[in-house]
Amino acid sequence: MTRGRIGVDLGGTKTEAVLLAPDGGVPMRERLATPPDYAGTITAVAKLVGRIDAACDARPPVGIGTPGAWVESSRSMKNCNSTWLNGKPLLDDLIEVLGERVRIENDANCFALSEALDGAARDAHVVFGVILGTGVGGGIVVDGRLLKGPNAVAGEWGHTPLPYLRADPYTRSEEGTMGDRPCYCGRQNCVETFLSGKGLAETHRQLTGERLAADEIDPHAPSVDLYVTMLSRALAQIVNVLDPDTIVLGGGLSNLDHLAERVSERLGRYGFTHEGETTVVVAEHGDSSGVLGAARLWPNRSG
């Protein structure tokens, strides 16, 4: 029998499940295309967990990383960019299918937890984990423990306004190349609308007329340089409020050329004060951080 913990990540285009062994190894990994509906999501999770159960001849505890947040008082999900999950009793339905061995947490929180416990921020006191991908999320870990808050929105900087938006010369041109951007949350000009993959692609289109996906844009293009500046301004606000020891960048856009170094250099231009004591690093576990953090919602069982 293989002992361990199962982690499941519902974010992105793929739903992924892993078995995390007590020694930190990952002896099993399964993936399915993420279904664009609620019933399909429940079925996909059950199928992935069932495969791992069968392979290890056991029923390990299951941690699930979700877009959005679970609201205990209403027993439902909120703030999910996978909007079909909003208002749904996701945890209760997963417990119905998999049993009482299920815990769920925001996927950015899972990412931050993974990197704080044994990743790029393993020695840090206060960690701010950043997801830059399909959406923009964040998580806060203090002394190895997640900070969630009474509203379950701690770290959700992606749905705050982009600071100093009108300070960019591009937003003041006669052509209006950088107009207001609506967000799925119902507000305008959220950080996510500029710093997600779609946000970068839209900035590039507005500046150049080219319609390219974020990963197709020349890393030396002015739109990418503007992206770095916007990211630095937004993170400077986090430093002003939280003053973390380490900021960990994750998600697909964290792979931009020398992004951590470029952001670290620019933070001081926009914060109240910055002596370079906050370290900006790229996630050690890459795309696996979220799913590994989901497994770590349960304590290690090595016996």
Side-chain angles (χ1 to χ4, degrees):
M1 179 185 298
T2 301
R3 293 188 179 272
R5 299 161 283 174
I6 296 174
V8 181
D9 186 358
L10 298 182
T13 60
K14 296 289 185 182
T15 295
E16 181 177 27
V18 301
L19 178 65
L20 180 64
D23 63 1
V26 181
M28 190 170 182
R29 188 183 299 266
E30 296 284 337
R31 294 185 179 93
L32 288 172
T34 297
D37 64 278
Y38 183 68
T41 297
I42 300 294
T43 299
V45 172
K47 184 178 294 186
L48 291 172
V49 171
R51 290 177 185 174
I52 295 177
D53 284 348
C56 64
D57 191 26
R59 286 172 58 82
V62 180
I64 311 248
T66 68
W70 173 254
V71 182
E72 185 65 26
S73 60
S74 64
R75 306 294 297 177
S76 64
M77 298 294 295
K78 70 173 183 178
N79 297 341
C80 303
N81 57 7
S82 299
T83 53
W84 55 90
L85 298 179
N86 287 322
K88 300 296 186 180
L90 180 62
L91 177 58
D92 292 336
D93 286 342
L94 289 173
I95 288 174
E96 182 71 24
V97 173
L98 300 173
E100 295 287 342
R101 56 179 172 145
V102 180
R103 292 178 178 176
I104 64 175
E105 187 55 76
N106 174 263
D107 51 6
N109 285 352
C110 292
F111 163 82
L113 184 64
S114 175
E115 291 297 323
L117 291 180
D118 77 337
R122 60 171 55 87
D123 297 321
H125 168 54
V126 178
V127 177
F128 187 69
V130 172
I131 297 289
L132 301 168
T134 305
V136 172
I140 302 168
V141 178
V142 180
D143 292 334
R145 296 173 62 89
L146 279 171
L147 178 63
K148 297 170 62 174
N151 299 297
V153 295
E156 287 289 1
W157 71 304
H159 293 283
T160 57
L162 183 73
Y164 308 123
L165 171 60
R166 301 308 175 197
D168 287 317
Y170 303 102
T171 67
R172 302 197 307 269
S173 66
E174 292 181 2
E175 294 81 9
T177 55
M178 195 80 65
D180 292 328
R181 295 187 185 180
C183 184
Y184 79 89
C185 73
R187 299 174 180 85
Q188 286 189 326
N189 300 326
C190 287
V191 164
E192 180 167 303
T193 66
F194 291 91
L195 298 185
S196 64
K198 288 183 178 179
L200 173 56
E202 177 61 12
T203 297
H204 187 76
R205 184 196 68 78
Q206 291 180 331
L207 296 186
T208 68
E210 293 182 316
R211 296 183 180 273
L212 299 175
D215 60 0
E216 298 173 330
I217 299 171
D218 184 336
H220 304 293
S223 54
V224 175
D225 190 68
L226 177 58
Y227 178 91
V228 175
T229 293
M230 289 178 170
L231 176 58
S232 302
R233 291 204 310 257
L235 287 176
Q237 306 301 295
I238 298 298
V239 174
N240 281 354
V241 174
L242 186 63
D243 202 7
D245 298 273
T246 303
I247 296 173
V248 186
L249 306 180
L253 289 170
S254 68
N255 297 316
L256 286 172
D257 195 33
H258 299 293
L259 181 62
E261 294 89 343
R262 295 165 75 182
V263 169
S264 182
E265 185 273 329
R266 296 186 196 187
L267 272 180
R269 304 180 190 178
Y270 305 109
F272 179 61
T273 184
H274 180 60
E275 305 299 336
E277 298 300 325
T278 295
T279 303
V280 183
V281 296
V282 174
E284 183 173 315
H285 298 303
D287 293 342
S288 295
S289 285
V291 73
L292 294 175
R296 289 185 171 92
L297 295 174
W298 290 92
N300 194 355
R301 297 178 180 179
S302 57

